[in-house]
């Protein structure tokens, strides 16, 4: 067979036995070789055509590789929503979407994280988030260890970082941390080899809650650009509010925050929100009303409002919901102070309330985060 190599391993010209035309074989990195006829019998012309085709395909290939790389969230920790850009948020939501139907199957078990060790380290009370991570890890086949922090060496005077170093020596794959100190997950992530997920650090951030809220909203509305979302109540002490403001605004939604003056953070104007102290004005035209739990444990040494007075002004009931759009939905991260920030009947009304759906989305989001982060860690360890 008559043949000529133009670029070693990349372009080859050759003639088949019964053909007078030059054939081209073009091979790009990470792509299958493409074979086609040059359409000419003259070698010089065939060379020109092959080189031209090669450079066109190469350009296309580079764009393709860049696109997929941009789409992938490559970090191995999830500690702050500020670390996430819009594409990364959308990528996590898309990955979580795959687990929604999986979680409705009869057998809810796969082996994506088989053999991995995950620690739930909760230094603050939690039922919902802790069990949600536990269910997520177990459905992925991982071994999850719940460290009962009240029984841990922390009580024997061991510092938190010492405890983390000890756990780190057991070669965990993921540490899920809830702690009253702001920024603690970030600190820990810089001192351990495992992936770190912030499951709530004081009044600072709660990224997986905001992601699961975004997924709940996405499944109802598809497009965030046209949405007006009200976040109401104890904004000052709420990590849920902070993470949601960042995530939902990055996705394109407009946000109103509504609450009593003393519960609005000083820097609220620096955030991408419109601020209201009046429910009637703040709820106008809203598609979603996200209520927050009054963080009693963080309101120490300050005056707690009277329940009835607070409910009349800021508690969400059917009457106040009428200020929002006609079919507006209600959300709440739980646990709820029924009759304080939200009317009990409204909270349980499945035609208006997405609260139970939020819990279901929580498992899907946490499964996606566990899979993505461990995969990213594997890639970091490989390189
Ligand atoms: C939130 C939390 O703990 O930050 N709840 C939760 O994660 N399910 C909201 C709250 O406690 O107010």
């Amino acid at each position: 067979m008559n043949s000529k190599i133009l670029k070693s391993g990349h372009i080859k010209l050759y003639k088949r036995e019964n053909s007078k035309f030059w054939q081209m074989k073009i091979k790009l990195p990470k792509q299958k070789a493409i074979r086609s006829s040059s359409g000419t019998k003259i070698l010089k012309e065939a060379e020109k055509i092959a080189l031209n085709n090669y450079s066109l395909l190469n350009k296309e290939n580079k764009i393709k590789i860049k696109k997929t790389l941009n789409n992938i969230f490559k970090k191995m920790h999830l500690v702050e929503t500020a670390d996430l850009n819009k594409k990364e948020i959308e990528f996590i939501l898309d990955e979580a979407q795959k687990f929604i139907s999986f979680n409705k199957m009869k057998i809810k078990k796969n082996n994506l994280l088989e053999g991995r060790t995950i620690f739930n380290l909760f230094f603050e009370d939690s039922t919902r988030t802790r069990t949600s991570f536990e269910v997520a890890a177990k459905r992925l086949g991982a071994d999850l260890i719940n460290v009962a922090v009240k029984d841990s060496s922390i009580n024997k005077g061991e510092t938190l970082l010492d405890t983390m170093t000890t756990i780190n020596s057991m070669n965990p794959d993921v540490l899920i941390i809830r702690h009253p100190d702001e920024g603690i997950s970030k600190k820990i992530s810089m001192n351990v080899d495992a992936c770190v997920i912030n499951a709530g650090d004081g009044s600072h951030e709660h990224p997986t809650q905001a992601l699961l809220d975004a997924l709940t909203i996405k499944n109802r509305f598809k497009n965030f650009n046209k949405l007006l979302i009200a976040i109401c109540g104890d904004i000052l002490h709420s990590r849920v509010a902070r993470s949601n403001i960042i995530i939902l605004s990055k996705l394109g939604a407009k946000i109103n925050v509504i609450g009593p003056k003393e519960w609005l953070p000083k820097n609220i104007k620096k955030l991408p929100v419109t601020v209201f102290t009046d429910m009637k004005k703040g709820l106008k035209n809203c598609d979603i009303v996200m209520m927050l739990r009054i963080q009693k444990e963080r309101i120490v040494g300050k005056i707690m409002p009277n329940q009835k007075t607070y409910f009349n002004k800021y508690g969400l009931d059917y009457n106040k919901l009428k200020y929002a759009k006609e079919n507006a939905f209600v959300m709440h991260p739980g646990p709820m102070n029924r009759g304080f920030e939200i009317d009990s009947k409204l909270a349980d009304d499945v035609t208006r309330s997405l609260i139970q759906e939020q819990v279901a989305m929580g498992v899907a989001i946490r499964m996606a985060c566990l899979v993505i982060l461990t995969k990213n860690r594997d890639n970091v360890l490989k390189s």
Side-chain angles (χ1 to χ4, degrees), residues 133-173:
F133 271 111
E134 185 165 357
V135 169
K138 287 185 171 162
R139 287 189 182 166
L140 295 165
D143 297 312
L144 182 126
I145 293 100
N146 271 309
V147 179
V149 180
K150 278 186 192 130
D151 308 335
S152 77
S153 300
I154 292 279
N155 294 335
K156 294 178 204 146
E158 193 172 298
T159 70
L160 179 62
L161 277 176
D162 276 345
T163 307
M164 291 305 150
T165 314
T166 307
I167 290 176
N168 189 49
S169 304
M170 298 176 198
N171 300 313
D173 295 277

mmCIF file of all heavy atoms in Angstrom, residues 133-173:
data_model
loop_
_atom_site.group_PDB
_atom_site.id
_atom_site.type_symbol
_atom_site.label_atom_id
_atom_site.label_comp_id
_atom_site.label_asym_id
_atom_site.label_seq_id
_atom_site.Cartn_x
_atom_site.Cartn_y
_atom_site.Cartn_z
ATOM 1 N N PHE A 133 -27.502 13.233 55.490
ATOM 2 C CA PHE A 133 -26.166 12.825 55.047
ATOM 3 C C PHE A 133 -25.973 11.316 55.253
ATOM 4 O O PHE A 133 -25.346 10.639 54.444
ATOM 5 C CB PHE A 133 -25.081 13.598 55.801
ATOM 6 C CG PHE A 133 -24.707 14.896 55.142
ATOM 7 C CD1 PHE A 133 -25.030 16.113 55.712
ATOM 8 C CD2 PHE A 133 -24.021 14.894 53.929
ATOM 9 C CE1 PHE A 133 -24.678 17.307 55.096
ATOM 10 C CE2 PHE A 133 -23.665 16.082 53.305
ATOM 11 C CZ PHE A 133 -24.004 17.296 53.898
ATOM 12 N N GLU A 134 -26.526 10.811 56.351
ATOM 13 C CA GLU A 134 -26.345 9.389 56.642
ATOM 14 C C GLU A 134 -27.070 8.532 55.593
ATOM 15 O O GLU A 134 -26.509 7.570 55.057
ATOM 16 C CB GLU A 134 -26.884 9.081 58.055
ATOM 17 C CG GLU A 134 -26.628 7.652 58.470
ATOM 18 C CD GLU A 134 -26.812 7.414 59.969
ATOM 19 O OE1 GLU A 134 -27.081 8.372 60.719
ATOM 20 O OE2 GLU A 134 -26.695 6.244 60.378
ATOM 21 N N VAL A 135 -28.297 8.910 55.289
ATOM 22 C CA VAL A 135 -29.061 8.181 54.268
ATOM 23 C C VAL A 135 -28.318 8.255 52.929
ATOM 24 O O VAL A 135 -28.146 7.251 52.231
ATOM 25 C CB VAL A 135 -30.498 8.765 54.152
ATOM 26 C CG1 VAL A 135 -31.225 8.216 52.940
ATOM 27 C CG2 VAL A 135 -31.288 8.486 55.425
ATOM 28 N N ALA A 136 -27.856 9.469 52.584
ATOM 29 C CA ALA A 136 -27.158 9.663 51.303
ATOM 30 C C ALA A 136 -25.929 8.750 51.227
ATOM 31 O O ALA A 136 -25.737 8.027 50.243
ATOM 32 C CB ALA A 136 -26.752 11.119 51.147
ATOM 33 N N ALA A 137 -25.105 8.766 52.268
ATOM 34 C CA ALA A 137 -23.864 7.976 52.259
ATOM 35 C C ALA A 137 -24.179 6.489 52.149
ATOM 36 O O ALA A 137 -23.536 5.756 51.392
ATOM 37 C CB ALA A 137 -23.067 8.267 53.522
ATOM 38 N N LYS A 138 -25.177 6.036 52.894
ATOM 39 C CA LYS A 138 -25.492 4.604 52.911
ATOM 40 C C LYS A 138 -26.081 4.150 51.575
ATOM 41 O O LYS A 138 -25.805 3.050 51.117
ATOM 42 C CB LYS A 138 -26.407 4.286 54.082
ATOM 43 C CG LYS A 138 -25.613 4.347 55.388
ATOM 44 C CD LYS A 138 -26.373 3.942 56.597
ATOM 45 C CE LYS A 138 -25.403 3.834 57.790
ATOM 46 N NZ LYS A 138 -26.088 3.860 59.070
ATOM 47 N N ARG A 139 -26.895 4.986 50.955
ATOM 48 C CA ARG A 139 -27.444 4.614 49.640
ATOM 49 C C ARG A 139 -26.346 4.503 48.579
ATOM 50 O O ARG A 139 -26.509 3.835 47.582
ATOM 51 C CB ARG A 139 -28.505 5.625 49.209
ATOM 52 C CG ARG A 139 -29.763 5.446 50.012
ATOM 53 C CD ARG A 139 -30.922 6.245 49.519
ATOM 54 N NE ARG A 139 -32.051 6.010 50.417
ATOM 55 C CZ ARG A 139 -33.142 6.721 50.449
ATOM 56 N NH1 ARG A 139 -33.284 7.729 49.616
ATOM 57 N NH2 ARG A 139 -34.109 6.430 51.291
ATOM 58 N N LEU A 140 -25.231 5.190 48.813
ATOM 59 C CA LEU A 140 -24.112 5.112 47.866
ATOM 60 C C LEU A 140 -23.140 3.996 48.235
ATOM 61 O O LEU A 140 -22.097 3.833 47.622
ATOM 62 C CB LEU A 140 -23.368 6.447 47.836
ATOM 63 C CG LEU A 140 -24.176 7.645 47.306
ATOM 64 C CD1 LEU A 140 -23.491 8.953 47.653
ATOM 65 C CD2 LEU A 140 -24.357 7.539 45.792
ATOM 66 N N GLY A 141 -23.473 3.257 49.277
ATOM 67 C CA GLY A 141 -22.648 2.104 49.659
ATOM 68 C C GLY A 141 -21.483 2.421 50.577
ATOM 69 O O GLY A 141 -20.658 1.546 50.854
ATOM 70 N N ALA A 142 -21.379 3.688 51.055
ATOM 71 C CA ALA A 142 -20.239 4.047 51.915
ATOM 72 C C ALA A 142 -20.480 3.595 53.354
ATOM 73 O O ALA A 142 -21.600 3.292 53.743
ATOM 74 C CB ALA A 142 -20.035 5.563 51.878
ATOM 75 N N ASP A 143 -19.393 3.559 54.142
ATOM 76 C CA ASP A 143 -19.529 3.311 55.584
ATOM 77 C C ASP A 143 -19.562 4.671 56.259
ATOM 78 O O ASP A 143 -18.643 5.478 56.078
ATOM 79 C CB ASP A 143 -18.322 2.523 56.100
ATOM 80 C CG ASP A 143 -18.256 1.153 55.438
ATOM 81 O OD1 ASP A 143 -19.287 0.475 55.399
ATOM 82 O OD2 ASP A 143 -17.172 0.796 54.926
ATOM 83 N N LEU A 144 -20.638 4.914 56.996
ATOM 84 C CA LEU A 144 -20.750 6.210 57.675
ATOM 85 C C LEU A 144 -20.656 6.031 59.181
ATOM 86 O O LEU A 144 -21.314 5.166 59.753
ATOM 87 C CB LEU A 144 -22.062 6.910 57.318
ATOM 88 C CG LEU A 144 -22.161 8.283 57.994
ATOM 89 C CD1 LEU A 144 -22.434 9.385 56.995
ATOM 90 C CD2 LEU A 144 -23.197 8.291 59.093
ATOM 91 N N ILE A 145 -19.800 6.859 59.773
ATOM 92 C CA ILE A 145 -19.635 6.809 61.231
ATOM 93 C C ILE A 145 -20.168 8.105 61.823
ATOM 94 O O ILE A 145 -19.737 9.198 61.457
ATOM 95 C CB ILE A 145 -18.147 6.618 61.623
ATOM 96 C CG1 ILE A 145 -17.673 5.232 61.168
ATOM 97 C CG2 ILE A 145 -17.925 6.738 63.124
ATOM 98 C CD1 ILE A 145 -16.908 5.241 59.906
ATOM 99 N N ASN A 146 -21.157 7.957 62.703
ATOM 100 C CA ASN A 146 -21.684 9.123 63.411
ATOM 101 C C ASN A 146 -20.877 9.300 64.682
ATOM 102 O O ASN A 146 -20.900 8.429 65.546
ATOM 103 C CB ASN A 146 -23.138 8.850 63.816
ATOM 104 C CG ASN A 146 -24.098 9.280 62.736
ATOM 105 O OD1 ASN A 146 -24.038 10.398 62.237
ATOM 106 N ND2 ASN A 146 -24.993 8.370 62.362
ATOM 107 N N VAL A 147 -20.135 10.400 64.775
ATOM 108 C CA VAL A 147 -19.406 10.616 66.016
ATOM 109 C C VAL A 147 -20.323 11.395 66.959
ATOM 110 O O VAL A 147 -20.743 12.508 66.646
ATOM 111 C CB VAL A 147 -18.098 11.394 65.779
ATOM 112 C CG1 VAL A 147 -17.354 11.628 67.090
ATOM 113 C CG2 VAL A 147 -17.213 10.641 64.811
ATOM 114 N N ALA A 148 -20.658 10.746 68.074
ATOM 115 C CA ALA A 148 -21.481 11.437 69.062
ATOM 116 C C ALA A 148 -20.563 12.403 69.787
ATOM 117 O O ALA A 148 -19.795 12.022 70.666
ATOM 118 C CB ALA A 148 -22.082 10.425 70.020
ATOM 119 N N VAL A 149 -20.597 13.645 69.360
ATOM 120 C CA VAL A 149 -19.595 14.600 69.832
ATOM 121 C C VAL A 149 -19.691 14.830 71.338
ATOM 122 O O VAL A 149 -18.696 15.084 71.997
ATOM 123 C CB VAL A 149 -19.680 15.902 69.025
ATOM 124 C CG1 VAL A 149 -18.655 16.897 69.508
ATOM 125 C CG2 VAL A 149 -19.427 15.595 67.565
ATOM 126 N N LYS A 150 -20.895 14.727 71.850
ATOM 127 C CA LYS A 150 -21.042 14.925 73.300
ATOM 128 C C LYS A 150 -20.228 13.891 74.079
ATOM 129 O O LYS A 150 -19.783 14.138 75.177
ATOM 130 C CB LYS A 150 -22.518 14.843 73.675
ATOM 131 C CG LYS A 150 -23.198 16.174 73.404
ATOM 132 C CD LYS A 150 -24.618 16.198 73.900
ATOM 133 C CE LYS A 150 -25.310 17.417 73.344
ATOM 134 N NZ LYS A 150 -26.586 17.126 72.735
ATOM 135 N N ASP A 151 -20.037 12.693 73.465
ATOM 136 C CA ASP A 151 -19.272 11.640 74.139
ATOM 137 C C ASP A 151 -17.794 11.663 73.755
ATOM 138 O O ASP A 151 -17.021 10.836 74.191
ATOM 139 C CB ASP A 151 -19.802 10.246 73.736
ATOM 140 C CG ASP A 151 -21.294 10.138 73.918
ATOM 141 O OD1 ASP A 151 -21.817 10.897 74.746
ATOM 142 O OD2 ASP A 151 -21.923 9.313 73.237
ATOM 143 N N SER A 152 -17.410 12.591 72.875
ATOM 144 C CA SER A 152 -16.042 12.518 72.344
ATOM 145 C C SER A 152 -15.031 13.156 73.286
ATOM 146 O O SER A 152 -15.377 13.729 74.307
ATOM 147 C CB SER A 152 -15.973 13.236 70.995
ATOM 148 O OG SER A 152 -15.962 14.619 71.230
ATOM 149 N N SER A 153 -13.746 13.074 72.869
ATOM 150 C CA SER A 153 -12.667 13.596 73.707
ATOM 151 C C SER A 153 -12.696 15.105 73.828
ATOM 152 O O SER A 153 -11.955 15.681 74.617
ATOM 153 C CB SER A 153 -11.319 13.183 73.129
ATOM 154 O OG SER A 153 -11.250 11.804 73.104
ATOM 155 N N ILE A 154 -13.519 15.762 72.988
ATOM 156 C CA ILE A 154 -13.643 17.217 73.095
ATOM 157 C C ILE A 154 -13.985 17.554 74.542
ATOM 158 O O ILE A 154 -13.501 18.525 75.103
ATOM 159 C CB ILE A 154 -14.784 17.715 72.167
ATOM 160 C CG1 ILE A 154 -14.398 17.523 70.707
ATOM 161 C CG2 ILE A 154 -15.153 19.167 72.444
ATOM 162 C CD1 ILE A 154 -13.502 18.580 70.122
ATOM 163 N N ASN A 155 -14.797 16.703 75.143
ATOM 164 C CA ASN A 155 -15.202 16.949 76.529
ATOM 165 C C ASN A 155 -14.071 16.664 77.510
ATOM 166 O O ASN A 155 -14.138 17.039 78.663
ATOM 167 C CB ASN A 155 -16.435 16.114 76.890
ATOM 168 C CG ASN A 155 -17.629 16.564 76.081
ATOM 169 O OD1 ASN A 155 -17.672 17.703 75.649
ATOM 170 N ND2 ASN A 155 -18.564 15.676 75.858
ATOM 171 N N LYS A 156 -13.055 15.960 77.046
ATOM 172 C CA LYS A 156 -11.918 15.686 77.939
ATOM 173 C C LYS A 156 -10.818 16.718 77.699
ATOM 174 O O LYS A 156 -9.666 16.508 78.046
ATOM 175 C CB LYS A 156 -11.372 14.279 77.668
ATOM 176 C CG LYS A 156 -12.341 13.180 78.028
ATOM 177 C CD LYS A 156 -11.735 11.831 77.671
ATOM 178 C CE LYS A 156 -12.814 10.787 77.461
ATOM 179 N NZ LYS A 156 -12.450 9.816 76.430
ATOM 180 N N GLY A 157 -11.134 17.792 77.027
ATOM 181 C CA GLY A 157 -10.169 18.871 76.855
ATOM 182 C C GLY A 157 -9.353 18.768 75.577
ATOM 183 O O GLY A 157 -8.463 19.573 75.358
ATOM 184 N N GLU A 158 -9.615 17.799 74.746
ATOM 185 C CA GLU A 158 -8.877 17.704 73.492
ATOM 186 C C GLU A 158 -9.347 18.828 72.573
ATOM 187 O O GLU A 158 -10.537 19.105 72.490
ATOM 188 C CB GLU A 158 -9.173 16.339 72.846
ATOM 189 C CG GLU A 158 -8.228 15.993 71.715
ATOM 190 C CD GLU A 158 -8.435 14.555 71.237
ATOM 191 O OE1 GLU A 158 -8.236 13.628 72.044
ATOM 192 O OE2 GLU A 158 -8.800 14.386 70.071
ATOM 193 N N THR A 159 -8.421 19.507 71.906
ATOM 194 C CA THR A 159 -8.880 20.606 71.051
ATOM 195 C C THR A 159 -9.523 20.015 69.804
ATOM 196 O O THR A 159 -9.261 18.867 69.413
ATOM 197 C CB THR A 159 -7.712 21.513 70.606
ATOM 198 O OG1 THR A 159 -6.915 20.771 69.696
ATOM 199 C CG2 THR A 159 -6.894 22.001 71.777
ATOM 200 N N LEU A 160 -10.309 20.857 69.164
ATOM 201 C CA LEU A 160 -11.030 20.400 67.979
ATOM 202 C C LEU A 160 -10.065 19.922 66.887
ATOM 203 O O LEU A 160 -10.253 18.874 66.276
ATOM 204 C CB LEU A 160 -11.914 21.537 67.459
ATOM 205 C CG LEU A 160 -12.728 21.244 66.218
ATOM 206 C CD1 LEU A 160 -13.706 20.115 66.466
ATOM 207 C CD2 LEU A 160 -13.471 22.485 65.764
ATOM 208 N N LEU A 161 -8.983 20.707 66.683
ATOM 209 C CA LEU A 161 -8.038 20.310 65.631
ATOM 210 C C LEU A 161 -7.329 19.007 65.968
ATOM 211 O O LEU A 161 -7.025 18.202 65.089
ATOM 212 C CB LEU A 161 -7.038 21.424 65.346
ATOM 213 C CG LEU A 161 -7.562 22.499 64.386
ATOM 214 C CD1 LEU A 161 -6.552 23.615 64.224
ATOM 215 C CD2 LEU A 161 -7.960 21.963 63.023
ATOM 216 N N ASP A 162 -7.101 18.759 67.270
ATOM 217 C CA ASP A 162 -6.515 17.474 67.690
ATOM 218 C C ASP A 162 -7.456 16.329 67.323
ATOM 219 O O ASP A 162 -7.023 15.297 66.803
ATOM 220 C CB ASP A 162 -6.288 17.444 69.208
ATOM 221 C CG ASP A 162 -4.963 18.092 69.592
ATOM 222 O OD1 ASP A 162 -4.139 18.283 68.674
ATOM 223 O OD2 ASP A 162 -4.777 18.410 70.772
ATOM 224 N N THR A 163 -8.738 16.537 67.618
ATOM 225 C CA THR A 163 -9.722 15.498 67.286
ATOM 226 C C THR A 163 -9.722 15.237 65.780
ATOM 227 O O THR A 163 -9.755 14.092 65.332
ATOM 228 C CB THR A 163 -11.141 15.959 67.727
ATOM 229 O OG1 THR A 163 -11.070 16.317 69.089
ATOM 230 C CG2 THR A 163 -12.167 14.871 67.539
ATOM 231 N N MET A 164 -9.654 16.319 65.015
ATOM 232 C CA MET A 164 -9.666 16.175 63.553
ATOM 233 C C MET A 164 -8.418 15.436 63.065
ATOM 234 O O MET A 164 -8.479 14.620 62.163
ATOM 235 C CB MET A 164 -9.742 17.557 62.879
ATOM 236 C CG MET A 164 -11.043 18.235 63.088
ATOM 237 S SD MET A 164 -12.409 17.193 62.541
ATOM 238 C CE MET A 164 -13.679 17.733 63.640
ATOM 239 N N THR A 165 -7.270 15.756 63.678
ATOM 240 C CA THR A 165 -6.025 15.095 63.277
ATOM 241 C C THR A 165 -6.127 13.606 63.588
ATOM 242 O O THR A 165 -5.680 12.755 62.799
ATOM 243 C CB THR A 165 -4.820 15.719 64.030
ATOM 244 O OG1 THR A 165 -4.955 17.116 63.953
ATOM 245 C CG2 THR A 165 -3.499 15.294 63.444
ATOM 246 N N THR A 166 -6.714 13.275 64.745
ATOM 247 C CA THR A 166 -6.879 11.865 65.116
ATOM 248 C C THR A 166 -7.751 11.155 64.093
ATOM 249 O O THR A 166 -7.394 10.083 63.586
ATOM 250 C CB THR A 166 -7.539 11.768 66.514
ATOM 251 O OG1 THR A 166 -6.774 12.562 67.403
ATOM 252 C CG2 THR A 166 -7.613 10.342 67.005
ATOM 253 N N ILE A 167 -8.870 11.772 63.766
ATOM 254 C CA ILE A 167 -9.787 11.154 62.790
ATOM 255 C C ILE A 167 -9.109 11.067 61.420
ATOM 256 O O ILE A 167 -9.224 10.077 60.708
ATOM 257 C CB ILE A 167 -11.122 11.918 62.750
ATOM 258 C CG1 ILE A 167 -11.861 11.653 64.067
ATOM 259 C CG2 ILE A 167 -11.971 11.517 61.553
ATOM 260 C CD1 ILE A 167 -13.134 12.397 64.254
ATOM 261 N N ASN A 168 -8.350 12.099 61.090
ATOM 262 C CA ASN A 168 -7.633 12.122 59.808
ATOM 263 C C ASN A 168 -6.680 10.921 59.674
ATOM 264 O O ASN A 168 -6.503 10.374 58.589
ATOM 265 C CB ASN A 168 -6.859 13.438 59.680
ATOM 266 C CG ASN A 168 -6.281 13.643 58.305
ATOM 267 O OD1 ASN A 168 -6.994 13.483 57.303
ATOM 268 N ND2 ASN A 168 -5.000 13.955 58.226
ATOM 269 N N SER A 169 -6.101 10.512 60.797
ATOM 270 C CA SER A 169 -5.166 9.375 60.764
ATOM 271 C C SER A 169 -5.882 8.061 60.465
ATOM 272 O O SER A 169 -5.249 7.047 60.181
ATOM 273 C CB SER A 169 -4.434 9.251 62.099
ATOM 274 O OG SER A 169 -3.795 10.451 62.385
ATOM 275 N N MET A 170 -7.191 8.050 60.557
ATOM 276 C CA MET A 170 -7.947 6.830 60.215
ATOM 277 C C MET A 170 -8.275 6.796 58.725
ATOM 278 O O MET A 170 -9.064 5.971 58.276
ATOM 279 C CB MET A 170 -9.234 6.769 61.043
ATOM 280 C CG MET A 170 -8.976 6.701 62.536
ATOM 281 S SD MET A 170 -10.526 6.749 63.439
ATOM 282 C CE MET A 170 -9.943 7.211 65.057
ATOM 283 N N ASN A 171 -7.706 7.723 57.967
ATOM 284 C CA ASN A 171 -7.896 7.805 56.516
ATOM 285 C C ASN A 171 -9.361 7.899 56.059
ATOM 286 O O ASN A 171 -9.805 7.105 55.232
ATOM 287 C CB ASN A 171 -7.230 6.611 55.814
ATOM 288 C CG ASN A 171 -5.758 6.565 56.083
ATOM 289 O OD1 ASN A 171 -5.076 7.591 55.978
ATOM 290 N ND2 ASN A 171 -5.248 5.412 56.477
ATOM 291 N N PRO A 172 -10.082 8.859 56.586
ATOM 292 C CA PRO A 172 -11.455 9.014 56.102
ATOM 293 C C PRO A 172 -11.466 9.615 54.694
ATOM 294 O O PRO A 172 -10.469 10.208 54.278
ATOM 295 C CB PRO A 172 -12.061 10.008 57.097
ATOM 296 C CG PRO A 172 -10.902 10.827 57.545
ATOM 297 C CD PRO A 172 -9.709 9.908 57.550
ATOM 298 N N ASP A 173 -12.567 9.443 53.996
ATOM 299 C CA ASP A 173 -12.692 10.051 52.664
ATOM 300 C C ASP A 173 -13.422 11.392 52.740
ATOM 301 O O ASP A 173 -13.109 12.316 52.002
ATOM 302 C CB ASP A 173 -13.444 9.101 51.726
ATOM 303 C CG ASP A 173 -12.650 7.836 51.495
ATOM 304 O OD1 ASP A 173 -11.765 7.862 50.636
ATOM 305 O OD2 ASP A 173 -12.874 6.836 52.219
#
